[in-house]
Amino acid sequence: MLQPAFDNMVHDSQRMFRHILTALAEPLLPQDLPQLPPALPGLLPATAAVLYTLIDQDVTLWAPALPDSTVASLRFHCGLQLAAQAEQADFILLPLGSTLPPLASLQAGSAEYPDRSATLLLEVADFTIDQVEASGPGIAGSRRFGAGQLPAGFWAQWQANHARFPLGVDVLLISASQLAGLPRSTLVKEG
Amino acid sequence: MTEARPGQWQYNFAFLDENTKRMLRRALLKAVAIPGYQVPFGSREMPLPYGWGTGGIQLTASIIGQHDVLKVIDQGADDTTNAVNIRRFFARVTGVATTSHTTEASLIQTRHRIPETPLRPGQIVVFQVPEPEALRTLEASEVETRKLHAHQEYGLMHVKLYEDIARFGHIATSYDYPVMVNQRYLASPSPIPKFDNPKLDMSPALLLFGAGREKRLYAIPPYTRVESLAFDDHPFSVQRWEQACALCGSHDSYLDEIITDDAGARMFVCSDTDYCQQQQEGVA
Ligand SMILES: [Zn+2]
């Protein structure tokens, strides 16, 4: 069964893009996402909105096994191209509770073209806990942040990812109805 | 999805098709993640010749939404031909509200100035950029400038500025004065006067730069360190005027010299027309 996507592809994807842009411009400040499309089986409601906004036939996405109907819906609405391996994908989608592939194994760009790097779409439970202190572009001073049900070892791997700047991956942390951005430029201290 | 109107040819909201917008949007996200780094993008032909701000127009078209309030300025003024044409273009292809007031705008497209009125959190400024590569006059090859950025090898630029000092006693560059973004990438702030450079540093607004002919975009996120290049013995300084604005009396704004009659009489007035008007009305 195909799931319906946005009510209005043009305006809803524009609004969603602005939330994503703001999320990366103001890292780890959760953005509320009103008016989401129906959830795709196996994914949080906000994740569908992110996918409809960013994915098309020009990029590849890797995900652990997704329900057939979700893949079919994404093929129909976005022209989804699945990557065979996470290491080659432009986008990596990790549903809640997935195992994190080593961040260092994902596309990090090259010294001349650091933009040719992966974006990780990482589902989390919520943004109500306190885990780290973040600083860097987009953050005036410092910002406390935490995300429920992050994959084990995420913050340690993040520090290694940030240390490769300007190379590295960027992350969108997605809860049921919120979104937080984590660009490679963000420095994070645990505790 | 296509907004058809009677008697007009059909176009998509904000003119660009959705595939082009998505391509630009993905590039913008990478630009924000790597402040000051120039992201190449595939370009769609725009209904304006290069030099009219196609890069800025493409960025604005990829981010603008129904609830935005758009301001467009050229050299600080809302009423020049270039600014009027771009503002009318977006009013026609989006139906969004437009304004000349910096404080009311959610989205500001600009050529050659940053408004005097302080920007606020949540605002986005789109700069029209003719030449995105700060090193281009020193190194013609794109392959080479990419390598220089990759290795953060910016000695050439320091040499150029120091030659200015040797020759003129000061750094002669007064527009498009190079900046270091987030202590990593050397970037062109676009041809704004160096007077505006300090406004780039730790700006509360998101700053986006689009170069149409060169098909590149880059970004300075809010609250990002932006330093104008300088030397210990020649610190960075901005233009100052002995006069106040002849219209509003401001001592703090960037002034243009204008000739007021055939005899060549001159006066200095604010280049930012909205700011000047607000000052005259005693608002700000
Ligand atoms: Zn004035």
Side-chain angles (χ1 to χ4, degrees), chain B residues 182-231:
Chain B
N182 189 31
Q183 300 179 306
R184 176 57 185 83
Y185 281 101
L186 184 76
S188 155
S190 84
I192 55 173
K194 66 177 182 175
F195 178 90
D196 284 340
N197 276 25
K199 299 174 187 171
L200 300 166
D201 183 37
M202 300 303 277
S203 165
L206 170 61
L207 312 176
L208 304 176
F209 300 78
R213 192 183 51 230
E214 305 293 333
K215 300 179 175 52
R216 258 171 284 159
L217 56 84
Y218 51 106
I220 301 175
Y223 310 112
T224 298
R225 285 307 316 275
V226 178
E227 294 165 274
S228 302
L229 294 192
F231 300 95

Side-chain angles (χ1 to χ4, degrees), chain B residues 118-211:
Chain B
L119 300 171
R120 57 175 164 76
Q123 283 181 317
I124 299 177
V125 182
V126 173
F127 294 77
Q128 299 170 207
V129 182
E131 173 51 72
E133 180 48 74
L135 297 166
R136 186 60 71 227
T137 55
L138 305 171
E139 172 54 65
S141 155
E142 175 67 11
V143 174
E144 290 303 317
T145 52
R146 289 259 155 202
K147 279 186 195 155
L148 294 173
H149 285 295
H151 299 117
Q152 209 176 339
E153 240 171 57
Y154 297 137
L156 272 180
M157 183 57 83
H158 284 98
V159 168
K160 177 195 179 259
L161 294 177
Y162 215 87
E163 281 172 358
D164 266 15
I165 295 170
R167 198 180 314 162
F168 308 108
H170 63 276
I171 295 172
T173 305
S174 59
Y175 285 84
D176 209 346
Y177 189 104
V179 293
M180 278 294 283
V181 179
N182 189 31
Q183 300 179 306
R184 176 57 185 83
Y185 281 101
L186 184 76
S188 155
S190 84
I192 55 173
K194 66 177 182 175
F195 178 90
D196 284 340
N197 276 25
K199 299 174 187 171
L200 300 166
D201 183 37
M202 300 303 277
S203 165
L206 170 61
L207 312 176
L208 304 176
F209 300 78

Side-chain angles (χ1 to χ4, degrees), chain A residues 6-11 13-15 17-18 20-22 24-26 51-59 90-91 111-119 136-141 165-166 168-170 172 183-185, chain B residues 1-3 12-13 18-19 21-26 28-30 32-35 37-40 62-68 106-107 122 124 142-143 146-147 149-151 182 184-185 202 206 208 221-224:
Chain A
F6 285 129
D7 278 347
N8 184 310
M9 192 63 198
V10 171
H11 299 304
S13 61
Q14 183 277 333
R15 204 175 49 233
F17 169 70
R18 286 285 279 274
I20 298 170
L21 181 66
T22 303
L24 282 166
E26 300 183 49
L51 293 170
Y52 298 146
T53 302
L54 297 180
I55 302 299
D56 59 25
Q57 63 288 341
D58 294 336
V59 293
D90 299 310
F91 288 86
E112 279 83 8
Y113 293 96
D115 57 302
R116 296 176 181 173
S117 54
T119 304
I139 301 172
F165 188 91
V169 302
D170 308 304
L172 295 175
R184 66 193 78 177
S185 57
Chain B
M1 319 267 166
T2 302
E3 316 252 317
N12 196 28
F13 177 83
E18 293 302 299
N19 278 320
K21 287 183 194 169
R22 257 193 309 277
M23 175 266 294
L24 288 165
R25 287 167 180 172
R26 287 190 298 255
L28 281 168
L29 298 181
K30 289 300 172 189
V32 166
I34 317 167
Y37 163 77
Q38 299 164 53
V39 182
S62 69
I63 62 182
I64 196 167
Q66 292 169 303
H67 302 297
D68 274 310
S106 58
L107 191 53
I124 299 177
E142 175 67 11
V143 174
R146 289 259 155 202
K147 279 186 195 155
H149 285 295
H151 299 117
N182 189 31
R184 176 57 185 83
Y185 281 101
M202 300 303 277
L206 170 61
L208 304 176
Y223 310 112
T224 298

